[in-house]
Amino acid sequence: MNRIVSIALLGLLLLGGCSSTKMAYRYADWGIVWWVDDYIPMTAEQESRLEQDIHDLRQWHCATELPRYSEWLAQLKSDVRSGNLSQSTVTHHQEQLLSFFPPLMERARPAATRLLSSLSDEQVQQLASNMEESQKELEDELLADDPEQTGEARAERTVERVERWLGSLNDRQRETVNAWSESRGQQTKIWLEGRRNWQQALIDALETRNSDGFSEQVRYLMNNYEEVRGKRYQRMMSDSRTAMAGLMADLLQQADQRHLDHLLEQAESMRGDFDTLACVGEDTENRNS
């Protein structure tokens, strides 16, 4: 269910990885419904309710939140152009980005509660089974028998994510990523352990999905996901945020002009998408698509 929350309820925020932000945003609601339908076979009534909930969430998000993202990207561009790329600046932008999540989580909670409380016993069993299967697949994919191989795979994933914003890294930057990855120790294992803890907490909560207090249980799972995932996960995430800010500051300091130009282009493209989506209604978009 962590995947359902992250995709069905946070997917609208994480559009940066899509090839076209506007296209992804426009069709995110349908894509989400299809994905959940694949993961948990839903009734027609559940699908209809979820479509409406995500449509409403998307409309609110477009009108209220996207202008905030646009302002953040404008400040990011200003700092890049001025050469203000210290770790404190990177940490500031990291905090700004993280601040976008709580309002979205809170706004999405009623939809999550409605969907989860409507699940039948059979659907809950299927959910538990599918989550277990997904967990095992991730463990097989991300955890190698050799810790060194796990670290190398983590470094490769980090390079891919960074190059989305900076373009191809130079040799010095790659060395920095490799050193950072080696220093992260058991981060991947702890992340997977926390993921399993959260999923089990959800399955436990679903046992009382017909009770009056279920909405508060959903709120707790969404707002306190780090605590639910365990103390090791909490410590890892605290350390990881600091380490990631340091990594990005180092990579920016080691960047060539082409990296900064690529970052500015990506930020400008995304900001343009956000500006358009924040003021163009769905009907207008559909006529222009």
Side-chain angles (χ1 to χ4, degrees):
M1 185 58 204
N2 182 37
R3 289 189 66 188
I4 290 178
V5 172
S6 65
I7 292 178
L9 306 181
L10 295 181
L12 301 183
L13 180 61
L14 305 177
L15 297 172
C18 301
S19 59
S20 169
T21 305
K22 285 188 285 188
M23 186 66 70
Y25 198 91
R26 187 178 302 161
Y27 295 109
D29 49 359
W30 295 104
I32 289 164
V33 170
W34 288 335
W35 189 91
V36 176
D37 195 19
D38 287 340
Y39 203 60
I40 307 175
M42 294 192 299
T43 66
E45 183 179 354
Q46 287 171 327
E47 288 187 350
S48 177
R49 177 69 261 184
L50 183 58
E51 283 182 23
Q52 184 60 52
D53 281 340
I54 293 176
H55 175 270
D56 294 343
L57 175 62
R58 177 170 167 254
Q59 292 296 96
W60 164 83
H61 189 261
C62 182
T64 305
E65 297 300 284
L66 289 188
R68 296 178 60 209
Y69 303 172
S70 182
E71 291 176 5
W72 165 66
L73 285 168
Q75 183 60 55
L76 175 64
K77 288 174 57 182
S78 176
D79 286 339
V80 172
R81 287 198 177 104
S82 67
N84 183 14
L85 302 173
S86 65
Q87 182 163 344
S88 62
T89 300
V90 173
T91 299
H92 168 74
H93 284 293
Q94 183 185 62
E95 292 173 350
Q96 286 293 106
L97 187 59
L98 291 173
S99 74
F100 296 149
F101 281 84
L104 180 57
M105 295 288 276
E106 182 59 27
R107 188 81 178 195
R109 182 179 56 82
T113 302
R114 276 190 290 271
L115 174 61
L116 294 172
S117 62
S118 73
L119 298 181
S120 66
D121 290 344
E122 181 181 2
Q123 286 175 315
V124 172
Q125 292 171 0
Q126 290 175 321
L127 176 60
S129 176
N130 288 339
M131 288 196 303
E132 179 62 25
E133 181 179 353
S134 174
Q135 180 74 13
K136 288 181 178 179
E137 288 176 354
L138 276 176
E139 290 173 355
D140 290 342
E141 176 186 352
L142 301 179
L143 294 179
D145 293 334
D146 184 350
E148 183 176 345
Q149 292 179 350
T150 299
E152 290 174 354
R154 180 166 56 238
E156 291 176 4
R157 292 193 299 271
T158 303
V159 167
E160 290 178 1
R161 292 164 185 163
V162 171
E163 287 186 338
R164 161 72 171 82
W165 286 94
L166 297 182
S168 298
L169 301 185
N170 58 38
D171 291 342
R172 187 182 177 193
Q173 289 171 320
R174 285 183 174 275
E175 290 175 0
T176 297
V177 171
N178 289 335
W180 173 86
S181 182
E182 290 176 4
S183 72
R184 298 317 301 151
Q186 293 186 312
Q187 176 173 299
T188 303
K189 182 178 181 180
I190 295 171
W191 177 79
L192 287 166
E193 175 187 286
R195 185 177 186 270
R196 182 180 290 277
N197 290 341
W198 195 95
Q199 291 176 346
Q200 185 58 55
L202 174 66
I203 294 300
D204 292 342
L206 284 171
E207 293 298 320
T208 61
R209 62 189 179 280
N210 296 320
S211 68
D212 293 337
F214 181 63
S215 177
E216 287 305 309
Q217 292 188 64
V218 174
R219 182 197 297 272
Y220 182 80
L221 287 172
M222 295 175 72
N223 292 351
N224 301 279
Y225 61 91
E226 289 190 9
E227 178 181 339
V228 174
R229 292 184 180 207
K231 293 187 180 299
R232 289 219 308 168
Y233 183 91
Q234 286 179 285
R235 289 193 296 269
M236 181 272 289
M237 286 302 296
S238 178
D239 293 342
S240 181
R241 279 190 283 268
T242 301
M244 180 57 72
L247 172 65
M248 293 307 301
D250 289 343
L251 294 177
L252 288 170
Q253 293 295 334
Q254 298 162 2
D256 305 323
Q257 187 59 47
R258 64 185 176 85
H259 294 123
L260 301 182
D261 290 343
H262 189 88
L263 175 57
L264 287 171
E265 289 173 2
Q266 292 297 314
E268 178 61 29
S269 175
M270 187 172 290
R271 189 186 178 206
D273 287 348
F274 287 162
D275 286 344
T276 300
L277 289 165
C279 61
V280 177
E282 183 180 61
D283 291 340
T284 302
E285 281 190 23
N286 288 337
R287 286 196 298 270
N288 294 333
S289 62

